[in-house]
Amino acid sequence: MHEVSVMRNLLDIVEATADREGAEKINVIHLRIGEMAGINYESLKFAFEILSKGTRAEGGRLEYEKVDLRVTCAECSHEFSPEELVFRCPECGSGRIDIISGREMEVDYILLDEEGT
Ligand SMILES: [Zn+2]
C-alpha cells in the first residue's frame, strides 16, 4: 500500500508549513488527486488516521478534490478528457497525446488553528 509512504510525505510537508506558521493545530488538509495519480483515497485516508496520531494533524480533516485527466493532441492541439484509456484525439484521430493534468497528487491548501472551524 504505497499510500502510506505518500501520506508520510504529505504529513512532512504540512508539518513543515505548520512550523513555519507557528500553528499548533492542522485542521484541514485539502488535496488535489489526479484521476491517473494511482492513489486510492480510502487507503490514503486510512493511512492518515494512523500516521497523524501524535502529530498536529491528529483529529484534523482530510479532504480532496479529484482532478480529471486532461490531455492535448500533439498533432492538432485539441484538448480533451479521454473517456477511456485509449488515448486518441477525437478531432484528427492522432495517437500522439500529451497529458496536461490528472497525474498530480498535491496539497492544495491546509487550514491551521482557528481557520475554517
Ligand atoms: Zn488531434
Side-chain angles (χ1 to χ4, degrees):
M1 196 166 89
H2 78 123
E3 281 80 2
V4 172
S5 53
V6 169
M7 182 46 73
R8 193 167 282 130
N9 288 336
L10 283 177
L11 283 172
D12 282 349
I13 294 169
V14 298
E15 285 268 32
T17 306
D19 274 345
R20 239 184 359 255
E21 304 286 327
E24 284 167 18
K25 181 104 187 73
I26 300 165
N27 289 324
V28 175
I29 302 173
H30 193 94
L31 306 173
R32 288 164 55 81
I33 304 178
E35 205 176 3
M36 293 281 286
I39 295 289
N40 178 307
Y41 181 69
E42 289 308 313
S43 303
L44 195 67
K45 200 168 156 59
F46 182 69
F48 173 73
E49 302 293 335
I50 293 168
L51 295 173
S52 66
K53 285 205 170 68
T55 75
R56 279 168 288 192
E58 182 172 1
R61 224 165 51 236
L62 188 68
E63 300 176 344
Y64 82 111
E65 63 194 84
K66 205 178 95 188
V67 181
D68 287 340
L69 181 63
R70 292 289 295 171
V71 301
T72 183
C73 171
E75 301 289 344
C76 74
S77 307
H78 180 62
E79 230 186 272
F80 63 103
S81 293
E83 294 296 318
E84 49 204 289
L85 293 180
V86 180
F87 295 174
R88 192 160 292 280
C89 174
E91 288 294 311
C92 72
S94 167
R96 291 181 53 207
I97 301 297
D98 297 317
I99 293 179
I100 304 169
S101 69
R103 272 181 160 162
E104 59 271 75
M105 161 68 215
E106 60 196 18
V107 179
D108 192 15
Y109 60 83
I110 64 179
L111 299 179
L112 301 166
D113 290 338
E114 300 310 313
E115 298 170 352
T117 52

